[in-house]
Amino acid sequence: MDIETLERGTMLAQMKADHKALSSTLAALAQSQFPPTADKVLRKFPASEAAAYLGITPRYLALSADEMGLQIEKVGRGERRHYALEQMNQIRAYLAEKAGDDTAKATFYDPRRKGDEELQIIACSNFKGGSAKTCTSVHLAEYLALQGYRVLLVDLDPQGSASSMLGVVPELVPEDESLFAAIRYNEPASLSDVVQKTYFANLDLAVGSPFLTEWEFFAPHYATLAGQEEPGIRNRIADIEDERKQKGISNTRLRELEEELNREHAALSDCLQRKLYFTRLQLAFEDVEADYDVIICDTPPSLGYLSNAASFAADHLLVTIHPQWIDCESMAQYLATSIAHNEFFESTVAKQLGPEYLVPKTLQYLITRHDNTSRPETDVVTMLRSQLQNVFTSTMLRSSAIAEAGNVQQTLYEADRSNFNGKTYDRALDSLNKVNEEMEQILKTYWGRS
């Protein structure tokens, strides 16, 4: 029986037909919402909202804009001012410069990291879907951008949901323009070459795409091959070192041995990078370290190779939890698996590279999609706070406003309040701001700011 006959009327045949039908429909919708020539545009912010992000009064905001000669859009009969995010950033820089030698005041207006303050990397993680990892990642990225930080959002999920939220259609992104290009094993690109600017000032994106599934497949393959190659390389290095110590060796031969040794050390470095697959993302970040204050990794709903790479690269692991008992059981499994993985990572790095390559990390928990009117959920939240360390004080509330904004691929920071029930919008936005403020405070503490 040939394959075509076998497939007819089977699950595989249905799967192929369903995939073709669904993919074509989604592609048509994507083309209509975000055609290749279209650009997503960020709304302008009313004076009260813009002033709140800058930490000043609307009056002082207007005065500063006038002093700078900015052309601010005025709306309606009352000529209410609306500010573009780019203009808000210009005003930030202006006020920081006016602060002069008052470093604390200048940093308040322009919070970008200074001097020896190091890049901070956050990985949002959980291997259970539905815990709002992507929602958390994108809202946190936009919040920090609104505060004036330089942010890179790294979409590690092959589904590319975070990329979609920022107006990119992952299926239409060529391999060389996706994150995969920067971490692949054959002819990797520099991360700076694949990072894209977005419509949201201060926020750049490394696009997630289906190509990332290939990395999940090839990472263990190359790690295994590297493990097989390593002993031979180390033996050749030992032989060269022994020959160099011999008496009476000619200068010509010494130079030859030096060149051979350099080649073998380069081969060993390449071998270790392939063997220690979980360091690959961290190494890619070195290319853009000077360009950002914060990198946020949105991980796939699994503890596979991509999530492990993000966890190893991160300074802060932010685990999202939906407050249901079944999710708590999944959470316990997640922690058990993560412990095993991280113990392996740390022992391997300490042995292969040295303990100085291990850096301290923080582990934080964020309760998401929380219905604070539900008694059962309140009981779960109470239990989590009593059993886990470093649970955020604030929770991300379940809100129809967040869901409705997501249906049109917007965050609450992008959406216009007039499109929602005002109280619902305000309650959801307040919840997001409080959560994101807690994460921002952790970053400030890491930088040694009061």
Side-chain angles (χ1 to χ4, degrees), residues 89-142:
N89 288 331
Q90 289 177 287
I91 296 171
R92 278 188 187 282
Y94 173 72
L95 294 176
E97 185 177 356
K98 279 184 69 176
D101 295 332
D102 190 338
T103 305
K105 192 172 184 180
T107 302
F108 173 81
Y109 290 127
D110 182 4
R112 292 176 296 178
R113 61 191 176 101
K114 313 292 191 301
D116 59 353
E117 295 176 341
E118 296 182 349
L119 169 71
Q120 296 296 291
I121 302 170
I122 304 167
C124 292
S125 182
N126 196 325
F127 68 12
K128 191 176 190 305
S131 65
K133 287 188 302 296
T134 297
C135 180
T136 299
S137 299
V138 178
H139 278 94
L140 176 59
E142 292 190 353

Side-chain angles (χ1 to χ4, degrees), residues 185-198:
Y185 291 92
N186 294 322
E187 300 182 358
S190 298
L191 184 58
S192 56
D193 290 335
V194 302
V195 163
Q196 300 185 12
K197 295 291 181 184
T198 71

